Amino acid sequence: MVLAAALAIPLRVNLPISVAVVWITNPLTMPPIFYCSYLIGTLALGQPEQHFAFEPSWQWFMESLTTIGPAFLVGSFISACVASIIGYFGVDLLWRRAVRKAWLNRHKK
């Protein structure tokens, strides 16, 4: 949150939204998001899904870089691109709607 807020100010982006979006990925939502990214990566690379069981060890992590890592990274990249496009146009739409509503309210008075 601190990094998102610190970067939002010099980049002149919406500070509350940038801090709130950080909360989308949390310990409860990360496993399904990561698994979906892996599945998207396997589809994009044309690879079959591999069975894996998470182990919190350095050895498992290093082995996963070569087995499921490429599919996960490609899927994460695709997911990030799609989410950023949807987010950009979604926020733009909401912003235009809010400005239009404020404009109409101002003219009613």
Side-chain angles (χ1 to χ4, degrees):
M1 285 176 33
V2 173
L3 182 60
L7 289 173
I9 295 168
L11 294 175
R12 300 179 49 91
V13 296
N14 191 308
L15 179 64
I17 290 177
S18 63
V19 172
V21 169
V22 171
W23 284 93
I24 291 174
T25 52
N26 59 56
L28 294 176
T29 60
M30 281 173 46
I33 290 172
F34 285 2
Y35 185 66
C36 287
S37 293
Y38 168 71
L39 292 178
I40 291 168
T42 58
L43 287 172
L45 295 175
Q47 295 178 345
E49 295 176 31
Q50 296 180 13
H51 176 72
F52 62 92
F54 174 74
E55 294 176 22
S57 69
W58 185 254
Q59 180 182 355
W60 180 86
F61 176 75
M62 295 306 289
E63 289 173 2
S64 296
L65 287 177
T66 58
T67 57
I68 63 172
F72 173 69
L73 292 175
V74 169
S76 295
F77 179 75
I78 293 169
S79 299
C81 290
V82 170
S84 65
I85 291 168
I86 291 170
Y88 176 82
F89 287 110
V91 169
D92 186 56
L93 177 71
L94 292 174
W95 179 258
R96 289 177 187 271
R97 178 186 259 175
V99 168
R100 187 177 309 124
K101 184 178 178 182
W103 179 265
L104 290 173
N105 287 340
R106 201 172 325 141
H107 282 292
K108 285 181 182 178
K109 293 178 182 181

